[in-house]
Amino acid sequence: MFEKSSNSFLRLQELVDIINRLGPTKQQFVSRHMLEEASESQEALLYRTILSTQQPGERAVKKNLPADFNTERYERVKSELTSILLNLVFVLDLKRAKYSEYSQRLNELRKAEFLVKTLASAGARVVAMTIAEEYIVEARELEEWSTARELISLLRDAASMAGDGEQVERYTNESNTLFELLRYEELSLVAQERLTAAFASSRSEKPWLKQEVDKALSELAPALHQYKTFKLQWNALRLRKMGLQLEMKYHEALKITLETDVLLKEYPQFTNRSKRGLNAATKLMCQVQLQHFKEAFKTVQSCEENIDKDSNNWFYFKQLQLLLLFRSEQFNEAKEILREVLSSKRYNVQSESVKQEFQLFLLWADFLTNRPLLAEDWEQVMMKPGDITKGLLKLLPDLKDDYTGFKMSVIALEILLLLQGRRQKRSLIARIESLKLYRSRHLTGIAGEQASLFIRLLDNLIETDFDPKEAKSISQGVLADLKKSLADNGLHGGQIMSYAWLWNKILQTVN
């Protein structure tokens, strides 16, 4: 009992010594109560104004600041508030925010790693050792292999100083195994990130990247067989889903999402909203492309429950939800989603290409609800009279290289607009003729098959001098091929409205 008490006091004495030498001389932590209610400081006023301002962006916050706010000190106050909030990050209350048990445990483990490294470097090795011994088991259970290696490094060093050669060897062997697991994890993550980077500027399918996935899965296979860890299985399933999406094999990819659901049930300690939401978003994408609308609407609910509005994944989910609403012809509901997205505080920090994709959705929504494109809330895309005939891509330049993706939806909308302005027939013919060259250059392979068939339908329209009955008659074979492709494989690319729907709409417009 005395020895245990002595060790406890030794740890306390080390902490007293560190804080005495290195601790702050002034209060560093400000409670939420101070920021939200008690304090009248400039920093607290800025904090409250940011919280209460509904409109996105700094300009709106500045406009809503109290009259007595010292605007001359704004930049300094902003910097001081940032420092205050960064200090509070270490004491985040994930339990209050109802984060999963896994997320709470992971957060505590990361704090423990920071404490161990900081205390050891400051000379408080007894305290650092105590924390390392307590959390090494947690690091192993949560498969946080990088953290586990950090903790083991300290424990091995202590074992060597104590002359415990056996323990040194055990820790060394475990560290080597952890290094191997980290190598496999890194391999799978790099493959995923390369694919993510490829899709950042263009959402169209890229079947030629499948070899990247196959290579990573092949290298990962021995580790999956040897270690049976959750993380490696999770990453392998993600890669398999990505590979099947690249090949536009949505039926098979949908099956992998079900396997992923099973994995999450088998390893409940790793399950959280983020993982469930990520898998639900993939499931929704497959269902939307396959036009399984009934199932997709159910999956939307799962996405709503598991994807945080403050995350970038939320914007990807909203794009999928918009595609579902457009393709099921619920255009007014789509406009409500667009209002929600455009009013989000995080909308302005999205990449320009993502913002232009949502602007394209808004153009389509305005067109399909018979609302003038030059409405006041379209000022954000700086649309000017006459620009339609010059090409909508002038308004959405970041989509110009998304050849089989959203770019084709831009072109399709432009054609519908030109058809409505019957006097622009010459521009329309020129636009369709230019698509023949576009088809030969950019619509090769399976990714461009459906877009290519759509262009053939448009070409038939010119051949019949825009006679809807004759165009419909001579296009029956091409249309049958298109519908078969849609039924067998799902929709390819960023078809906001399917090419089959577009063809019917075009025939109605020229009638």
Side-chain angles (χ1 to χ4, degrees):
M1 176 66 73
F2 178 74
E3 183 179 354
K4 183 176 181 181
S5 177
S6 297
N7 287 336
S8 175
F9 181 77
L10 181 57
R11 293 195 296 271
L12 177 60
Q13 189 169 2
E14 279 190 338
L15 287 173
V16 169
D17 177 58
I18 283 177
I19 299 303
N20 182 54
R21 289 187 294 113
L22 306 173
T25 56
K26 297 180 181 180
Q27 181 175 340
Q28 295 292 304
F29 290 92
V30 177
S31 68
R32 281 181 56 221
H33 173 70
M34 291 289 291
L35 289 170
E36 293 174 357
E37 299 177 31
S39 175
E40 291 301 321
S41 70
Q42 297 272 287
E43 292 77 21
L45 288 173
L46 178 56
Y47 177 86
R48 290 196 287 267
T49 305
I50 291 172
L51 280 181
S52 62
T53 300
Q54 297 300 315
Q55 303 89 345
E58 188 173 28
R59 182 180 299 180
V61 170
K62 284 184 174 181
K63 186 178 179 181
N64 290 338
L65 284 168
D68 60 349
F69 189 89
N70 189 340
T71 55
E72 293 179 1
R73 291 188 63 241
Y74 173 74
E75 290 299 328
R76 181 178 172 184
V77 172
K78 186 170 66 171
S79 176
E80 289 172 353
L81 177 59
T82 300
S83 296
I84 289 170
L85 299 180
L86 284 173
N87 282 339
L88 290 172
V89 170
F90 194 79
V91 290
L92 293 177
D93 188 354
L94 271 61
K95 185 175 183 179
R96 181 184 64 83
K98 297 182 180 178
Y99 273 67
S100 68
E101 183 183 347
Y102 168 74
S103 298
Q104 292 178 50
R105 290 172 65 185
L106 191 57
N107 187 51
E108 291 302 311
L109 177 61
R110 286 168 176 164
K111 287 195 288 189
E113 180 185 5
F114 167 80
L115 286 172
V116 166
K117 293 166 75 173
T118 302
L119 291 168
S121 65
R125 296 186 66 81
V126 174
V127 184
M129 274 287 298
T130 302
I131 298 173
E133 288 172 343
E134 179 183 354
Y135 277 91
I136 184 62
V137 175
E138 186 78 338
R140 290 165 180 151
E141 287 184 2
L142 295 183
E143 297 183 7
E144 286 298 304
W145 302 317
S146 177
T147 299
R149 288 193 82 225
E150 291 285 350
L151 300 181
I152 282 173
S153 177
L154 179 66
L155 296 172
R156 185 177 57 201
D157 181 54
S160 69
M161 293 176 67
D164 190 342
E166 258 185 63
Q167 189 74 305
V168 169
E169 288 307 311
R170 279 197 293 270
Y171 283 136
T172 298
N173 291 335
E174 182 175 1
S175 184
N176 289 338
T177 299
L178 292 170
F179 181 78
E180 187 74 357
L181 287 166
L182 276 170
R183 186 177 72 83
Y184 282 114
E185 181 184 26
E186 183 74 3
L187 181 152
S188 61
L189 290 176
V190 167
Q192 292 174 47
E193 287 159 5
R194 283 174 176 163
L195 295 177
T196 300
F199 280 92
S201 59
S202 168
R203 299 298 177 93
S204 55
E205 292 92 342
K206 300 169 179 63
W208 56 90
L209 290 175
K210 178 64 163 52
Q211 59 185 4
E212 183 86 23
V213 175
D214 291 341
K215 179 183 176 184
L217 285 171
S218 176
E219 293 179 10
L220 198 57
L224 286 170
H225 177 73
Q226 182 176 356
Y227 297 112
K228 305 289 185 184
T229 68
F230 169 82
K231 276 192 174 181
L232 295 185
Q233 291 182 75
W234 169 264
N235 287 337
L237 286 171
R238 285 200 68 191
L239 283 170
R240 287 172 63 193
K241 284 184 288 189
M242 285 180 164
L244 291 167
Q245 289 172 242
L246 287 168
E247 291 185 298
M248 292 155 284
K249 295 180 178 179
Y250 300 118
H251 291 285
E252 289 87 342
L254 197 54
K255 292 176 184 177
I256 303 300
T257 66
L258 300 179
E259 286 187 44
T260 304
D261 285 335
V262 171
L263 181 71
L264 290 172
K265 288 180 181 178
E266 288 178 353
Y267 293 85
Q269 69 270 31
F270 292 99
T271 302
N272 60 5
R273 291 175 64 243
S274 176
K275 290 187 179 72
R276 289 196 299 267
L278 190 63
N279 194 49
T282 303
K283 191 179 297 182
L284 179 60
M285 189 280 295
C286 294
Q287 290 167 339
V288 168
Q289 293 297 84
L290 292 170
Q291 302 187 84
H292 293 175
F293 297 149
K294 184 178 179 180
E295 296 88 344
F297 279 110
K298 292 178 183 177
T299 306
V300 164
Q301 183 62 36
S302 178
C303 290
E304 294 280 15
E305 293 170 356
N306 291 295
I307 299 177
D308 289 326
K309 193 171 182 178
D310 291 334
S311 70
N312 288 331
N313 284 336
W314 184 80
F315 290 91
Y316 173 60
F317 155 53
K318 287 298 163 181
Q319 282 198 353
L320 295 173
Q321 188 178 11
L322 284 168
L323 287 173
L324 173 60
L325 290 170
F326 273 106
R327 293 173 184 175
S328 58
E329 300 188 39
Q330 299 183 43
F331 307 128
N332 287 314
E333 290 82 352
K335 293 192 85 164
E336 290 302 314
I337 297 298
L338 282 163
R339 288 190 183 95
E340 180 186 16
V341 169
L342 298 177
S343 64
S344 167
K345 290 185 177 181
R346 288 191 55 80
Y347 176 75
N348 286 334
V349 301
Q350 300 304 302
S351 68
E352 192 58 34
S353 60
V354 168
K355 287 191 282 189
Q356 288 184 21
E357 286 165 4
F358 281 111
Q359 290 164 4
L360 174 60
F361 279 114
L362 185 54
L363 272 172
W364 269 100
D366 285 347
F367 173 77
L368 292 168
T369 55
N370 297 314
R371 182 177 178 182
L373 285 170
L374 303 184
E376 288 182 7
D377 60 355
W378 246 105
E379 290 178 358
Q380 57 190 303
V381 295
M382 296 181 296
M383 193 169 196
K384 299 177 182 178
D387 273 348
I388 288 173
T389 59
K390 297 176 183 177
L392 288 178
L393 282 169
K394 289 184 179 294
L395 301 175
L396 307 168
D398 280 58
L399 306 184
K400 64 182 177 62
D401 295 328
D402 195 10
Y403 297 118
T404 59
F406 283 125
K407 183 174 181 177
M408 280 300 297
S409 281
V410 177
I411 293 170
L413 178 56
E414 180 183 306
I415 288 170
L416 287 172
L417 291 166
L418 289 170
L419 279 169
Q420 280 192 336
R422 299 295 177 91
R423 291 171 298 178
Q424 302 184 55
K425 187 175 179 181
R426 183 179 299 175
S427 297
L428 178 60
I429 293 173
R431 195 72 185 90
I432 295 174
E433 287 292 342
S434 69
L435 286 177
K436 295 180 184 179
L437 180 60
Y438 182 87
R439 178 177 60 196
S440 64
R441 287 182 175 177
H442 305 298
L443 300 181
T444 56
I446 187 172
E449 176 189 50
Q450 293 173 4
S452 182
L453 289 169
F454 176 61
I455 292 172
R456 286 176 61 188
L457 292 173
L458 294 174
D459 192 29
N460 287 346
L461 193 64
I462 294 178
E463 285 187 21
T464 59
D465 194 25
F466 296 89
D467 183 317
K469 290 184 179 179
E470 190 176 348
K472 182 178 181 179
S473 176
I474 69 170
S475 301
Q476 288 180 6
V478 178
L479 184 61
D481 290 342
L482 177 59
K483 288 183 175 180
K484 185 177 187 307
S485 178
L486 294 173
D488 292 346
N489 309 308
L491 276 65
H492 294 170
Q495 300 177 49
I496 290 180
M497 302 304 297
S498 75
Y499 293 130
W501 184 95
L502 285 169
W503 178 240
N504 285 333
K505 182 70 173 178
I506 287 169
L507 293 179
Q508 293 170 15
T509 304
V510 298
N511 203 345

